Amino acid sequence: MRTIPLLRTRRARALAASCALAAAAAVFASTSQVTAASSTAVAAETHTGEKPTIVLVHGAWADASSWNAVIGRLQHAGYTVYAPPNPLRGVSYDAQTLASFVATIPGPVVLVGHSYGGMVITNAATKSPNVKALVYDDAYIPAEGETVFQVNGAEPGSCVTAEPSTFLNLVPYPGGPAGDVDAYLKWAPNGAYQGFQDCFANGVPAAQARLLAAGQRPFAVSAGSEPSGAPAWKSIPSWAVVGTTDHVIVPAEQRSMARRANAHITEVKAGHLSLITRPDAVTRVITTAAETVR
């Protein structure tokens, strides 16, 4: 006599549990649809609104944190900003890596390159149809066939044209081309080399320069002799920030490359790291370029 009510109770509980699970599934599905719709709306608002996405590319002996002051200002102005790592392995490899990243971004893009990053954006943008403007900050703006080493030696005065052992620590790395090495800038002065601060980071406070030196990312020496491809600046509008006290890419060479690219030129009293020492000025040039993108 007690078995039947017990079975009925168990069946009732199972039925109630099934109903609860079904209800939960329905709520989850409904919520997921709303969440997905909201996510799509946010993505559309972020990437297909009035403002283009801005992608910042660092150069040799640096990393993406060198853009921090500029990133904060651009984000405050309402821009979506990315600063992906630059592998610093070679012009073609680095450009393809950047182009693959840019291909994941819906909507128009402004590409910004500092120093060697200029080589990379010049080549990556030819593979990226959504790139609508180029900004060069104390950067190489190469023509087809030019190399980093060639540009450095085009005008006298660059602090990175001395005999390599005087200013570079050369370190083998696995998997690279035979004989290739990673190059790190030395901190201390040595003969014609003024040292990390006066060569690469002039204008940066000494304590901050030491942090930059300690955290620098190496540049594969083979990248310096790899020729640039067909330049994107021939078909994409460009802007250039020229640091008038730059000791790495001398100002005369920066101006020459910028004029050849028909870039809009802004000169700032800064060394090679104007993105750190003059972030307001660099940000203004980037936003000026971005405002032309429709």
Side-chain angles (χ1 to χ4, degrees), residues 68-173:
N68 281 353
V70 173
I71 291 171
R73 287 161 171 77
L74 289 171
Q75 289 177 337
H76 183 73
Y79 288 94
T80 298
V81 186
Y82 297 107
N86 182 357
L88 305 177
R89 296 296 87 187
V91 177
S92 297
Y93 182 88
D94 298 340
Q96 187 56 59
T97 300
L98 177 60
S100 297
F101 180 84
V102 171
T104 68
I105 301 173
V109 169
V110 176
L111 273 187
V112 186
H114 172 252
S115 191
Y116 169 74
M119 297 287 291
V120 179
I121 69 170
T122 296
N123 288 270
T126 62
K127 307 172 181 66
S128 307
N130 56 333
V131 173
K132 303 302 180 184
L134 300 168
V135 180
Y136 295 90
D137 179 28
D138 299 312
Y140 299 93
I141 313 176
E144 186 169 8
E146 286 184 341
T147 70
V148 166
F149 294 155
Q150 181 181 348
V151 173
N152 288 344
E155 294 281 349
S158 172
C159 63
V160 293
T161 55
E163 200 282 316
S165 65
T166 64
F167 71 99
L168 295 173
N169 289 320
L170 302 176
V171 182
Y173 68 94

Side-chain angles (χ1 to χ4, degrees), residues 30-53:
S30 175
T31 304
S32 297
Q33 290 173 355
V34 172
T35 302
S38 299
S39 299
T40 301
V42 169
E45 181 180 355
T46 301
H47 296 293
T48 62
E50 295 182 358
K51 295 180 183 294
T53 298

Side-chain angles (χ1 to χ4, degrees), residues 215-244:
Q216 64 178 289
R217 292 191 55 214
F219 176 67
V221 169
S222 61
S225 59
E226 183 178 345
S228 185
W233 49 256
K234 283 194 172 182
S235 58
I236 300 174
S238 61
W239 283 254
V241 178
V242 174
T244 59

Side-chain angles (χ1 to χ4, degrees), residues 65-67 69-70 137 204 208 212 273-279 282:
S65 68
S66 60
W67 285 110
V70 173
D137 179 28
V204 177
Q208 186 177 8
L212 295 173
L273 300 181
S274 60
L275 71 173
I276 293 174
T277 62
R278 298 292 304 277
V282 173

